Amino acid sequence: MIDVHCVTFDCAQPYELATFWRDATGGELHPDTEKNDDEVLLQGGRVDLLFIRVPEDKAVKNRVHLDITGSAGTTRDEEVERLADLGATISGDHRNPDGSGWVTMLDPEGNEFCVCRAEYERV
């Protein structure tokens, strides 16, 4: 058995992308973070997120992505709206009339993630 220490994102602007995910998740930037750092650690969730500056642009679909759900009673649809207000965009809407399904979104640097219904929405 292993523990996942963190999920790492290659990106062009680590501070800006970490700030988006901080606002999305409610995590906290590492206390020593500076705006021009090449690596920015976001802490406080079940798994830390690490953003590392790389010179190349994102060119293809992610091979790994996050599936996220709302918390504190928010619905999937409310989370989609909140994340869009923070700067994410919808790239695929897979919601079904019966309430099942998910929404594929892109963060400000084009990294895919899915917003799914939380367990409390399925009862």
Side-chain angles (χ1 to χ4, degrees):
M1 179 81 114
I2 63 168
D3 288 329
V4 175
H5 172 68
C6 66
V7 175
T8 301
F9 290 74
D10 289 350
C11 56
Q13 299 178 339
Y15 181 83
E16 290 78 1
L17 194 57
T19 299
F20 165 81
W21 282 104
R22 177 202 61 201
D23 295 345
T25 65
E28 297 180 13
L29 299 180
H30 186 277
D32 296 334
T33 298
E34 304 267 337
K35 284 189 176 186
N36 61 348
D37 287 345
D38 288 332
E39 296 183 8
V40 176
L41 181 64
L42 180 63
Q43 303 171 299
R46 291 184 180 165
V47 175
D48 292 342
L49 303 178
L50 178 62
F51 302 88
I52 298 178
R53 185 182 320 276
V54 297
E56 61 274 0
D57 291 333
K58 181 179 179 303
V60 297
K61 183 181 184 303
N62 295 21
R63 301 263 330 237
V64 174
H65 71 264
L66 303 178
D67 284 352
I68 63 173
T69 62
S71 61
T74 61
T75 67
R76 174 199 55 211
D77 298 340
E78 291 168 337
E79 282 302 315
V80 167
E81 185 174 323
R82 184 180 75 82
L83 293 163
D85 289 344
L86 292 175
T89 56
I90 294 175
S91 69
D93 193 333
H94 308 282
R95 291 177 276 195
N96 299 309
D98 68 357
S100 64
W102 67 95
V103 178
T104 303
M105 300 188 81
L106 305 175
D107 72 16
E109 287 206 14
N111 299 299
E112 295 93 357
F113 64 96
C114 292
V115 183
C116 306
R117 289 190 312 161
E119 192 62 39
Y120 55 78
E121 289 186 82
R122 298 177 194 173
V123 285

